[in-house]
């Protein structure tokens, strides 16, 4: 067969035609089985390691939201590895916190305000955990039947703690001058023992230490008063501003998980009592008693502002802080605000 002169290589023409036919057939028949297979998937990224937070707390019911969050695995679910170091009181915890240890520390309302004032405002409250009046008690010898019976006697509290504010308000409202009693400092776990021995006539502190005193001493002692009409005690969580700025996401998750813990603790008091008994040897019935009246509202609300205005005024009068409360420098609201507008109300005007 003869080809036109313009076709120099008839073999290449046949090859091109064969290739065109192959492409046409592939298009008509669709992709082969091999081409239908998905591309190999990219290996999954390793899970993000949990953020470690060192938390200072006391092993009692006033830290119920923390224990609820641990018992319910809410911190773990939020990607947090919360390492708890326990202290007998918030005042003691803040002493270690002052040295640079820990990330978040619980304390009472008065230690919190005093720490803020004494440490160049290098501290922010991130959430109140609990509040109540019934859980603060005056536990006294049975011979002390009224406030006036304390005159000339030795009484105790954990000086610098919420108990100090309680003592001051109790004496003032019962027209007793501070110099008419001898106030000494005791660790919380030593108060029931001192009262049982008669070394003190009364102590001012939170539960369960009044209940422990009753179990230890029976009718030798009695509960003379609660804080009703004198003060409302709080347990709050606080952190350093620099840590909060660096760990905003983790801190926000921590607050949310602690809120879940508060809800869990309120709904499961029996399980909470079991947890505290197993982990820290606390009295199960005492936990259940406290849970009946404790308020676990985690919000910067009007009640919070009113009570903390009173605390800061007391601290300023006592000379433990040298300035009035500045809410913008005392509170970190981002964590609670993320839970909803009702968790952070506007503070009172200066």
């Amino acid at each position: 067969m003869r080809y036109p002169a313009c076709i120099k290589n008839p073999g290449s023409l046949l090859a091109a035609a064969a290739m065109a036919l192959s492409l046409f057939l592939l298009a008509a028949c669709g992709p082969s089985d091999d081409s239908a297979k998905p591309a190999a998937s990219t290996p999954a990224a390793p899970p993000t390691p949990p953020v470690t937070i060192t938390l200072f707390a006391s092993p009692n019911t006033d830290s119920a939201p923390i224990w609820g969050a641990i018992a319910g695995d809410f911190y773990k679910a939020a990607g947090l590895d919360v390492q708890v170091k326990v202290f007998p009181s918030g005042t003691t915890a803040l002493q270690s916190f002052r040295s640079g240890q820990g990330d978040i520390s619980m304390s009472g309302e008065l230690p919190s305000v005093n720490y803020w004032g004494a440490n160049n405002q290098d501290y922010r409250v991130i959430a109140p955990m609990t509040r109540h009046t019934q859980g603060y008690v005056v536990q006294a010898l049975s011979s002390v039947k009224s406030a006036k019976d304390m005159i000339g006697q030795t009484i105790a509290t954990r000086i610098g703690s919420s108990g100090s504010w309680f003592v001051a308000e109790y004496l003032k409202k019962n027209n007793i001058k501070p110099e008419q009693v001898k106030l000494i400092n005791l660790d919380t776990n030593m108060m029931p023992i001192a009262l049982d021995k008669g070394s003190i006539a009364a102590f001012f502190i939170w539960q369960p230490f009044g209940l422990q005193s009753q179990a230890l001493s029976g009718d030798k002692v009695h509960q003379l008063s609660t804080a009703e009409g004198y003060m409302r005690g709080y347990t709050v969580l606080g952190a350093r501003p620099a840590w909060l700025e660096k760990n905003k996401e983790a801190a926000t998750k921590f607050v949310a998980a602690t809120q879940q813990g508060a809800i869990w603790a309120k709904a499961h008091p029996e399980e909470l009592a079991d947890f505290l008994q197993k982990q820290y040897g606390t009295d199960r019935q005492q936990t259940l008693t406290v849970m009946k009246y404790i308020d676990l509202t985690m919000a910067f609300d009007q009640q919070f502002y009113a009570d903390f205005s009173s605390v800061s005024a007391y601290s300023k009068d006592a000379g433990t802080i040298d300035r009035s409360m500045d809410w913008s420098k005392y509170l970190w609201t981002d964590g609670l605000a993320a839970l909803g507008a009702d968790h952070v109300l506007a503070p009172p005007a200066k």
Side-chain angles (χ1 to χ4, degrees):
M1 179 178 180
R2 295 176 60 86
Y3 295 92
C6 62
I7 298 175
K8 304 297 184 183
N9 187 350
S12 64
L13 179 63
L14 292 173
M19 177 63 72
L21 178 60
S22 296
L23 292 174
F24 172 78
L25 292 173
L26 283 173
C29 297
S32 68
D33 289 342
D34 288 342
S35 64
K37 293 179 181 179
S41 59
T42 303
T48 303
V51 178
T52 300
I53 294 176
T54 302
L55 171 64
F56 292 172
S58 294
N60 57 42
T61 320
D62 275 301
S63 295
I66 290 172
W67 312 127
I70 293 173
D73 281 336
F74 299 122
Y75 292 138
K76 184 178 180 181
L80 305 175
D81 177 20
V82 176
Q83 300 291 319
V84 180
K85 184 174 182 180
V86 298
F87 291 84
S89 70
T91 303
T92 307
L94 286 175
Q95 290 172 352
S96 294
F97 195 72
R98 180 180 287 112
S99 69
Q101 301 179 52
D103 299 314
I104 298 174
S105 182
M106 57 74 61
S107 73
E109 72 297 312
L110 181 63
S112 168
V113 170
N114 287 346
Y115 183 93
W116 173 78
N119 290 274
N120 198 32
Q121 303 177 352
D122 188 30
Y123 170 91
R124 298 290 185 272
V125 170
I126 65 174
M129 287 194 295
T130 58
R131 62 183 87 184
H132 53 90
T133 59
Q134 296 301 308
Y136 291 80
V137 298
V138 183
Q139 191 75 5
L141 296 173
S142 56
S143 58
V144 177
K145 301 185 184 303
S146 70
K148 297 296 183 183
D149 291 335
M150 293 184 191
I151 294 176
Q153 302 270 22
T154 299
I155 61 175
T157 192
R158 179 65 172 91
I159 292 177
S161 74
S162 305
S164 291
W165 184 32
F166 188 9
V167 170
E169 293 299 312
Y170 184 85
L171 296 180
K172 180 172 66 175
K173 292 187 177 181
N174 283 286
N175 298 312
I176 300 173
K177 296 179 181 178
E179 58 268 23
Q180 289 182 288
V181 298
K182 181 181 179 181
L183 177 63
I184 65 170
N185 180 54
L186 286 177
D187 277 332
T188 51
N189 58 338
M190 296 303 298
M191 294 179 195
I193 298 171
L195 189 62
D196 184 69
K197 292 180 177 180
S199 303
I200 57 176
F203 64 77
F204 293 67
I205 209 64
W206 50 86
Q207 295 288 25
F209 300 103
L211 295 170
Q212 290 179 8
S213 171
Q214 205 69 52
L216 175 66
S217 304
D219 59 8
K220 289 169 56 178
V221 301
H222 71 127
Q223 181 178 297
L224 179 62
S225 177
T226 68
E228 184 71 34
Y230 298 104
M231 53 84 79
R232 180 180 291 102
Y234 286 73
T235 303
V236 301
L237 293 163
R240 301 177 191 88
W243 184 87
L244 290 168
E245 183 177 355
K246 184 179 179 181
N247 298 277
K248 180 178 178 179
E249 182 179 358
T252 301
K253 290 179 177 180
F254 176 87
V255 171
T258 306
Q259 167 70 28
Q260 288 180 286
I263 295 170
W264 184 93
K266 197 67 175 177
H268 302 88
E270 299 278 350
E271 290 89 337
L272 176 70
D274 290 339
F275 174 86
L276 285 172
Q277 183 180 55
K278 180 179 179 181
Q279 295 294 322
Y280 300 109
T282 60
D283 185 279
R284 189 176 186 281
Q285 188 55 51
Q286 290 174 5
T287 297
L288 293 173
T289 298
V290 175
M291 284 301 295
K292 290 179 181 178
Y293 54 72
I294 200 167
D295 183 347
L296 277 65
T297 301
M298 289 181 57
F300 296 135
D301 53 19
Q302 296 307 322
Q303 184 182 75
F304 174 91
Y305 292 128
D307 290 332
F308 275 74
S309 292
S310 295
V311 174
S312 61
Y314 163 77
S315 292
K316 188 176 180 182
D317 289 345
T320 51
I321 63 173
D322 62 359
R323 66 198 75 195
S324 299
M325 176 55 67
D326 183 341
W327 301 110
S328 67
K329 295 181 179 179
Y330 180 62
L331 304 178
W332 182 77
T333 60
D334 292 22
L336 286 178
L339 299 178
D342 58 333
H343 285 77
V344 180
L345 302 185
K350 294 181 180 180

